[in-house]
């Protein structure tokens, strides 16, 4: 089922663009371990494929992603295993050499928000909601969001999002600098793909240099990801996280 939950469109469909689409609408595109593995493989392929000049992330109608799959979260916490698949994906995301854009329509929760911090440009529909309820689940920020968010939006907004768990509307996200453009829901995909195609059509070497100059070498991002993972893993296996997850699952039930 993973192949249907993460759809990959190669450059033949969109010249120069690899489209990575989260496609698990019945679960609001919650990301499982198997989905993370497929996402990671897609990014590695994009990096190594000369025909790929840009990557576009999309979700489904009304939902980008509700974040991590809770069942996988709990299974990982109980297993005592090492590095989670999500962390491997995030490293691939942070080290992707190709320009990345995202199109967000509707819910963007947890990783559904922090993924966009690594994208070079994000288009969101006016019904989108960005929220990272990490602390509410007794967890901590991930994806180097504790480093990137304050850089992009300043301490106050970053704290409101990552610690207080405040939801950001599409317009608030645009004002905060994590969304480039807000459009109607029906325009998200077309404008995102057009944006990716315009980047893919630019001189690739000049584009790579310019992107690297803006982003920097990224060592600090990878170091922060590792630091966050230590705390995230410890918290995930903690008694307070177990209680928070049980309360969350009870509310859902």
């Amino acid at each position: 089922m993973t192949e249907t939950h993460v759809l990959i469109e190669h450059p033949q469909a969109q010249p120069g663009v690899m489209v990575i689409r989260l496609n698990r609408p019945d679960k609001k595109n919650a990301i499982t371990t198997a989905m993370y593995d497929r996402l990671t493989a897609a990014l590695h392929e994009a990096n190594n494929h000369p025909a790929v000049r840009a990557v576009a992330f999309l979700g489904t109608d009304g939902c980008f992603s509700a974040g991590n799959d809770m069942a996988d979260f709990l299974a990982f916490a109980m297993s005592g295993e090492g590095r989670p698949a999500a962390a491997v994906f995030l490293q691939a995301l942070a080290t992707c050499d190709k320009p990345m854009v995202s199109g967000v329509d509707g819910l963007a929760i947890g990783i559904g928000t922090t993924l966009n911090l690594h994208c070079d440009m994000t288009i969101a529909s006016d019904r989108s909601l960005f929220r990272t309820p990490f602390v509410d689940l007794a967890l901590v920020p991930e994806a180097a969001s504790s480093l990137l968010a304050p850089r992009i939006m300043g301490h106050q907004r970053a704290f409101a999002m990552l610690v207080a768990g405040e939801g950001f509307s599409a317009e608030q996200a645009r004002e905060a600098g994590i969304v480039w453009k807000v459009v109607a829901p029906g325009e998200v995909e077309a404008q995102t793909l057009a944006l990716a195609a315009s980047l893919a059509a630019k001189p690739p070497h000049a584009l790579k240099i310019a992107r690297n100059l803006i982003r920097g070498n990224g060592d600090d991002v990878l170091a922060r990801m590792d630091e966050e993972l230590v705390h995230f893993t410890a918290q995930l296996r903690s008694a307070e996280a177990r209680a928070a997850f049980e309360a969350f699952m009870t509310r859902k039930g």
Side-chain angles (χ1 to χ4, degrees), residues 80-147:
E81 293 176 358
R83 196 172 185 85
V88 180
F89 164 67
L90 291 174
Q91 185 173 41
L93 187 68
T95 56
C96 184
D97 280 340
K98 307 297 172 75
M100 298 181 291
V101 301
S102 54
V104 176
D105 177 31
L107 288 178
I109 309 299
I111 184 68
T113 286
T114 58
L115 181 156
N116 300 289
L117 299 178
H118 295 271
C119 291
D120 299 293
M121 300 176 79
T122 295
I123 291 176
S125 75
D126 54 18
R127 64 180 176 181
S128 294
L129 173 67
F130 297 83
R131 187 165 179 263
T132 60
F134 299 126
V135 176
D136 292 340
L137 293 171
L139 299 174
V140 300
E142 37 84 305
S145 58
S146 62
L147 176 71

Side-chain angles (χ1 to χ4, degrees), residues 159-196:
F159 193 92
M161 173 175 280
L162 298 176
V163 181
E166 293 289 333
F168 281 43
S169 67
E171 188 57 37
Q172 287 173 318
R174 189 194 65 77
E175 291 174 355
I178 61 173
V179 162
W180 175 60
K181 190 176 183 182
V182 177
V183 301
E187 298 177 10
V188 171
E189 180 166 336
Q191 292 210 27
T192 301
L193 294 179
L195 175 59

